[in-house]
């Protein structure tokens, strides 16, 4: 606010000074400045201030100027790679983000972009954190912290799943620092969510070699056991397909939902896939990305089923046809659609 008042005062003083120069030059020429012109020169700045305050003033402008005045030194320290001497506790991170982002346009630095990425991550904006981190990586490709920042937020963007870019970044960090625990941890967690259990096993094994006697040993051992168990159970569900036939007249061209589930758990299925059924019978293959839960153990019973709605955009709950649940024993399972009984 002080800066805004200072600018307004400077404009008014400048206009009055110009008016005084005009009046002085008019007297030198033996002429007097007309009263209407004199009044207009005095009233015009006042009118401009009134119009601005009434129609053009925005509270956000004052907030921005106040944030800039308070946080400009902090932003400059972050851009220079120095820890801020004192960060005001009553200013939210969003304010610092705005100030820092503006300064980075003028004086970019790897440290500044990295700090901006960290702030965006704290604000729950992983997409913006990724963009800031990529700028840091572009300026300094060998920066481990910048690559880790991008990889972490790429995984956060996908709710724990690991993209090819995130995996490449983590592999690059590990190539430079083979014992980087953070990179191995992210790689293990992301691989587990991607159902890439061989990669997850590699990551947990590497971590256990260094932390087998520490506080994290039990957690790492459970993670490794789970990855190995899932690899064994994955073989049972490697080539799962469900052949859907019809019992009676069923129009084609609608939305078909096939699934595997635990018969004792009627909630979320183990795996599910939705396809457009252009004709019947139709064979639907369940892929690794269609699994919503962990692969079940060999001793657990699993059933296959299907629901179908003639409308291609209809939801599962709107299905007019369903199939009786059939026990799944591996390979291809056949289910038959029939019209659902009215409730």
């Amino acid at each position: 606010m002080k800066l805004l008042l200072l600018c307004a005062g400077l404009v008014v003083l400048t206009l009055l000074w110009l008016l005084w120069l005009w009046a002085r030059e008019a007297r030198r020429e033996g002429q007097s400045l007309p009263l209407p012109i004199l009044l207009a020169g005095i009233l015009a700045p006042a009118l401009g201030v009134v119009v601005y305050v009434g129609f053009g003033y925005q509270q956000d402008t004052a907030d921005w100027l106040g944030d800039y005045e308070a946080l400009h030194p902090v932003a400059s320290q972050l851009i220079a790679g120095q820890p801020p001497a004192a960060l005001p506790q009553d200013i939210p991170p969003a304010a610092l983000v705005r100030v820092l982002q503006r300064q980075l346009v003028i004086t970019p630095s790897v440290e500044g972009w990295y700090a901006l990425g960290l702030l965006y991550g704290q604000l729950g904006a992983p997409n913006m954190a990724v963009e800031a981190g990529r700028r840091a990586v572009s300026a300094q490709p060998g920066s481990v912290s910048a690559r880790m920042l991008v990889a972490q937020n790429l995984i956060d963007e996908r709710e724990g799943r690991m993209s090819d870019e995130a995996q490449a970044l983590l592999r690059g960090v590990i190539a430079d620092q083979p014992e980087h625990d953070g990179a191995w941890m992210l790689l293990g967690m992301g691989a587990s969510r991607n159902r890439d259990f061989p990669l997850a096993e590699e990551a947990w094994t590497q971590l256990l070699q260094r932390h087998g006697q520490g506080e994290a040993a039990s957690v790492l051992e459970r993670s490794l056991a789970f990855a190995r168990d899932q690899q064994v159970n994955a073989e049972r569900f490697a080539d799962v397909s469900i052949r859907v036939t019809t019992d009676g007249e069923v129009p084609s061209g609608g939305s078909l939902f096939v699934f595997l589930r635990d018969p004792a758990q009627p909630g979320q299925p183990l795996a599910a896939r939705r396809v457009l059924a252009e004709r019947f019978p139709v064979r639907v293959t369940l892929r690794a990305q269609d699994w919503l839960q962990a692969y079940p153990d060999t001793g657990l019973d699993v059933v296959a089923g299907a629901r179908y709605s003639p409308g291609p955009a209809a939801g599962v709950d709107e299905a007019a046809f369903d199939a009786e649940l059939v026990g799944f024993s591996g390979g291809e399972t056949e289910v038959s659609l029939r019209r659902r009984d009215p409730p």
Side-chain angles (χ1 to χ4, degrees):
M1 191 64 181
K2 292 180 181 179
L3 183 60
L4 182 63
L5 293 175
L6 179 63
C7 292
L10 182 61
V11 169
V12 171
L13 290 175
T14 301
L15 290 174
L16 292 176
W17 178 65
L18 291 174
L19 186 63
W20 175 79
L21 288 178
W22 188 4
R24 188 187 65 176
E25 293 300 317
R27 285 195 303 271
R28 286 181 177 179
E29 297 293 332
Q31 300 178 2
S32 61
L33 196 64
L35 183 61
I37 294 178
L38 182 61
L39 292 175
I42 297 174
L43 294 176
L47 180 61
V49 172
V50 171
V51 172
Y52 173 73
V53 172
F55 301 98
Y57 176 75
Q58 298 291 328
Q59 181 61 39
D60 291 343
T61 302
D63 294 340
W64 155 248
L65 292 174
D67 291 342
Y68 183 80
E69 183 178 2
L71 295 175
H72 177 262
V74 178
S76 297
Q77 286 180 294
L78 291 173
I79 290 173
Q82 303 170 357
L87 181 62
Q89 298 297 316
D90 58 340
I91 296 181
L96 181 54
V97 163
R98 291 194 298 269
V99 175
L100 180 57
Q101 189 163 270
R102 178 192 179 278
Q103 286 303 110
L104 282 169
V105 174
I106 303 171
T107 54
S109 75
V110 174
E111 295 80 7
W113 287 117
Y114 177 74
L116 183 63
L118 288 178
L119 287 168
Y120 270 125
Q122 293 175 12
L123 292 172
N127 57 328
M128 299 302 294
V130 166
E131 291 303 316
R134 282 174 177 159
R135 288 179 178 263
V137 172
S138 177
Q140 188 175 332
S143 172
V144 170
S145 57
R147 284 181 287 174
M148 289 293 296
L149 174 68
V150 176
Q152 173 69 72
N153 283 279
L154 283 171
I155 292 173
D156 290 345
E157 269 190 305
R158 295 163 60 93
E159 298 181 347
R161 293 184 179 273
M162 185 167 56
S163 65
D164 292 341
E165 181 184 359
Q167 183 172 340
L169 287 167
L170 293 173
R171 282 295 195 187
V173 170
I174 291 170
D176 294 340
Q177 298 183 11
E179 296 188 355
H180 194 293
D181 289 341
W184 280 116
M185 184 66 71
L186 277 179
L187 198 64
M189 292 188 297
S192 296
R193 289 297 302 272
N194 284 13
R195 312 194 72 79
D196 186 351
F197 295 111
L199 178 57
E201 180 183 5
E202 178 189 358
W204 303 135
T205 301
Q206 288 288 336
L207 288 168
L208 265 173
Q209 289 176 356
R210 293 190 296 279
H211 305 284
Q213 305 300 321
E215 297 179 357
S218 60
V219 175
L220 294 173
E221 288 171 353
R222 288 196 299 270
S223 299
L224 178 59
F226 177 77
R228 288 173 173 170
D229 180 67
Q230 287 294 286
Q231 288 187 71
V232 173
N233 293 329
E235 297 177 1
R236 181 186 176 196
F237 300 97
D239 298 310
V240 173
S241 62
I242 299 176
R243 187 173 185 267
V244 182
T245 62
T246 59
D247 181 8
E249 184 176 350
V250 179
S252 59
S255 180
L256 177 65
F257 179 79
V258 299
F259 56 87
L260 294 178
R261 74 166 19 134
D262 177 356
Q265 301 292 333
Q268 185 184 48
L270 297 168
R273 184 178 179 185
R274 176 180 292 176
V275 298
L276 183 65
E278 298 180 353
R279 66 179 69 85
F280 289 104
V282 59
R283 180 179 288 99
V284 180
T285 300
L286 292 177
R287 308 156 298 178
Q289 60 264 39
D290 298 323
W291 282 85
L292 307 175
Q293 301 186 48
Y295 293 122
D297 294 332
T298 305
L300 181 68
D301 292 333
V302 177
V303 295
R307 289 185 177 181
Y308 177 73
S309 175
V316 177
D317 296 336
E318 304 172 17
F321 301 85
D322 64 6
E324 185 176 352
L325 298 178
V326 176
F328 171 80
S329 58
E332 183 174 284
T333 302
E334 182 174 310
V335 298
S336 181
L337 289 172
R338 55 180 174 78
R339 184 173 291 277
R340 300 179 68 179
D341 296 330

